[in-house]
Amino acid sequence: MNKHFLGDTAVLLGRSLRHITRSPDTIITTAIMPIAMLLLFVYVFGGAIETGSDSYVNYLLPGILLITIASGISYTAFRLFLDMQGGIFERFQSMPIARSSVLWAHVLTSLVANLISLVVVVLVALLIGFRTGAGVLGWLAVAGILVLFTLALTWIAVIPGLTAKSVDGASAFSYPLIFLPFLSSAFVPTGTMPGPVRAFAEHQPVTSIVNTIRDLFTQQPVGTDIWAALAWCVGILVVAYIFATVSYRRRIS
């Protein structure tokens, strides 16, 4: 049945995307919070925050993009939980389809929905003054990092989607992920933080990812940050994928 994996995934992906088109408030809700934070920090707090950047929106946007993804993947856990509770997985088991295609359809749906939300946030940032000299390759590099980060967090979301006991439990896991950028270089330089907080901020994944995206937007040398960012994303993706697939096999066995 594995030879039908691509076809089965495409069919189930279409099913999940249709659910989103019938409920566009999912994407709207996902984008509203990051946009509100973007406007709040730019127009309320931005004037009081010293970052060494000519434009605070340019400094802020990479962190807001990661928050957009962190808030968006909660819907993956939510939709997966509803499918599990609705008995659709048991129905799929009685059909000649690749078992892994069920999970991959949810993961790819998350990727599509989050990319749409990211585009909306970038458009709003452009309207309020975001500017970048990055060329096509720079934008492609940013897009690649965001896609990798989205996949890593989405596979994390799959785990509570399969194992949670309630709807609230399925989506609540995303709150620490949304909060993590606040303890990074996303909003202020880490050099302004007290010792222990600074040590944590400089050695957690969000800081290296934010710094890499910021350097790509400003056409600055990315240095070692890009390798740290890629290592974090790939490492999280691999570990989350393993735990998610193990949880899935236990759930359907």
Side-chain angles (χ1 to χ4, degrees):
M1 288 189 291
N2 288 335
K3 64 181 180 180
H4 302 300
F5 169 76
L6 293 179
D8 294 340
T9 302
V11 172
L12 294 174
L13 173 61
R15 166 187 173 268
S16 295
L17 290 176
R18 282 193 295 272
H19 288 173
I20 290 181
T21 57
R22 293 168 186 165
S23 182
D25 58 302
T26 298
I27 295 177
I28 295 172
T29 303
T30 300
I32 280 179
M33 187 190 74
I35 290 173
M37 293 180 61
L38 177 66
L39 297 176
L40 177 67
F41 274 88
V42 169
Y43 290 116
V44 178
F45 303 130
I49 299 176
E50 181 59 46
T51 63
S53 175
D54 293 336
S55 173
Y56 187 58
V57 66
N58 289 353
Y59 185 91
L60 180 67
L61 182 61
I64 295 296
L65 295 178
L66 298 194
I67 289 176
T68 303
I69 295 170
S71 60
I73 52 98
S74 64
Y75 284 96
T76 301
F78 174 75
R79 288 188 294 264
L80 193 55
F81 176 82
L82 291 184
D83 275 355
M84 294 295 295
Q85 295 300 306
I88 192 69
F89 275 62
E90 287 78 3
R91 195 175 306 169
F92 286 150
Q93 288 184 63
S94 65
M95 301 170 64
I97 63 173
R99 297 291 181 261
S100 58
S101 63
V102 179
L103 289 186
W104 273 104
H106 279 281
V107 170
L108 294 178
T109 300
S110 171
L111 182 60
V112 172
N114 276 289
L115 288 177
I116 294 173
S117 296
L118 289 170
V119 170
V120 172
V121 172
V122 170
L123 290 176
V124 172
L126 288 169
L127 289 175
I128 66 174
F130 170 70
R131 296 294 181 267
T132 174
V136 174
L137 290 180
W139 276 101
L140 288 176
V142 170
I145 292 171
L146 292 175
V147 166
L148 195 58
F149 186 69
T150 302
L151 288 174
L153 292 196
T154 299
W155 279 107
I156 292 178
V158 168
I159 299 171
L162 293 170
T163 59
K165 303 300 182 183
S166 67
V167 173
D168 291 336
S171 56
F173 81 98
S174 65
Y175 298 147
L177 299 178
I178 295 172
F179 180 74
L180 197 58
F182 289 92
L183 296 175
S184 74
S185 63
F187 295 92
V188 297
T190 56
T192 64
M193 302 175 182
V197 178
R198 178 180 178 179
F200 174 80
E202 291 180 346
H203 296 90
Q204 59 120 320
V206 170
T207 293
S208 58
I209 297 170
V210 163
N211 290 344
T212 299
I213 295 175
R214 189 177 291 139
D215 288 339
L216 289 169
F217 277 149
T218 57
Q219 297 180 297
Q220 299 295 319
V222 293
T224 59
D225 276 328
I226 189 170
W227 302 115
L230 292 175
W232 274 112
C233 289
V234 173
I236 294 171
L237 174 59
V238 170
V239 172
Y241 174 79
I242 292 172
F243 276 96
T245 52
V246 169
S247 299
Y248 180 56
R249 288 169 186 161
R250 288 178 177 174
R251 190 64 189 266
I252 65 174
S253 61

